[in-house]
Amino acid sequence: MKIMTFNTQHCSNFYTGDFDYDLMADTINKCEADIVGLNEMRGKGIGENNVSQVEILSQLTCLKHCYFAKAIDVNGEYPYGNGLISRYPIISAETIMIPDPTIKSGENYYETRCLLKAKLENGITVLVTHFGLNFDEQENAVHTVLENFPGEKCLLMGDFNVKPDNEVLKPLYEKMKDAGEFIKGNSFTFPSDSPERKIDYIFVSPDIEILQAQIPDIVASDHRPHTATVNII
């Protein structure tokens, strides 16, 4: 079973800035993924460009089971958040909001985030999220993930906006395995044209075996995709 996490930057072609659904779908197809967690996705809104991007990629990749988790509304024009497309049927799915910090102590831009939680027919729970830029946001995101971590048969993926040595990730490393540690060579994912840091992750519960992992040499959005081949022990 092949897993993929991909921040699509709302399906924007890195070089042209245009919406490019064929490029994003081609990237997913080249990676031969069965389950794909998607970040920075638009939902259906006002205007011809504000369409259900998750549904479009689901159709173009033939990963026909999909779910969109809205984190915010952008200027009242369209919903924005995380997505999941899957070869395996989705039995249940929900959007869990990550609490905003009560007192904002960071210096970076704040944005409300969410956690997508889905149970697949094969028994796997998939968690897809996109951490904020500030440490207090990231702490809340980790806490929300752990509250919803079932303990077994679980995949966690997304853009975490932190490097692996950041202390905020320590609770996740205590509970799960980082597929990035199985990559031969560096595991940098951002920026896509010349990656210099790892901020995109695939974590798995202890009962899932990581057979291999990769950062495919593909420039589509501003992040490289990250894949892992796994097996339930």
Side-chain angles (χ1 to χ4, degrees):
M1 180 169 55
K2 199 163 188 183
I3 313 307
M4 176 177 176
T5 186
F6 188 27
N7 184 328
T8 72
Q9 196 186 24
H10 49 260
C11 295
S12 177
N13 184 308
F14 179 77
Y15 292 112
T16 69
D18 298 328
F19 294 112
D20 196 334
Y21 302 112
D22 289 334
L23 175 61
M24 300 303 151
D26 184 59
T27 298
I28 294 168
N29 287 332
K30 284 180 177 177
C31 292
E32 300 180 327
D34 300 299
I35 300 171
V36 185
L38 300 162
N39 299 131
E40 297 191 12
M41 299 295 287
R42 294 190 185 197
K44 188 174 181 179
I46 301 171
E48 63 180 4
N49 289 326
N50 297 323
V51 296
S52 177
Q53 295 183 331
V54 174
E55 290 185 6
I56 290 174
L57 293 189
S58 175
Q59 293 167 2
L60 291 176
T61 60
C62 295
L63 299 175
K64 62 181 182 179
H65 307 283
C66 65
Y67 181 77
F68 170 69
K70 183 185 82 170
I72 58 173
D73 278 303
V74 179
N75 300 322
E77 296 179 2
Y78 58 89
Y80 197 64
N82 303 306
L84 171 68
I85 57 176
S86 171
R87 193 174 308 281
Y88 309 101
I90 298 172
I91 301 303
S92 63
E94 60 182 316
T95 301
I96 300 162
M97 301 308 298
I98 296 171
D100 292 326
T102 304
I103 300 175
K104 296 173 177 160
S105 58
E107 298 180 352
N108 296 310
Y109 167 72
Y110 278 82
E111 181 181 305
T112 300
R113 311 280 175 156
C114 74
L115 175 70
L116 184 161
K117 182 177 183 179
K119 185 70 174 289
L120 305 186
E121 189 178 64
N122 61 6
I124 289 177
T125 298
V126 181
L127 304 176
V128 182
T129 193
H130 187 183
F131 285 11
L133 299 175
N134 298 283
F135 187 79
D136 49 4
E137 291 179 289
Q138 295 157 2
E139 282 188 311
N140 286 358
V142 169
H143 182 69
T144 302
V145 167
L146 293 177
E147 283 186 328
N148 289 277
F149 174 53
E152 60 182 15
K153 295 184 179 180
C154 182
L155 307 170
L156 165 66
M157 64 188 88
D159 173 3
F160 291 2
N161 275 315
V162 294
K163 298 178 182 179
D165 61 353
N166 192 302
E167 65 180 64
V168 76
L169 296 181
K170 185 178 178 181
L172 297 182
Y173 279 106
E174 292 174 350
K175 298 282 187 180
M176 307 182 80
K177 299 180 290 187
D178 178 7
E181 297 179 354
F182 291 76
I183 294 173
K184 296 178 180 179
N186 74 63
S187 58
F188 299 161
T189 59
F190 184 85
S192 60
D193 61 335
S194 183
E196 59 183 26
R197 60 188 182 273
K198 172 184 174 176
I199 58 175
D200 298 271
Y201 294 82
I202 297 175
F203 280 92
V204 304
S205 55
D207 56 345
I208 295 179
E209 179 184 15
I210 301 168
L211 303 177
Q212 63 175 0
Q214 294 179 318
I215 306 297
D217 186 13
I218 300 174
V219 179
S221 77
D222 61 339
H223 288 242
R224 294 275 177 101
H226 174 14
T227 65
T229 304
V230 303
N231 182 46
I232 299 176
I233 299 173

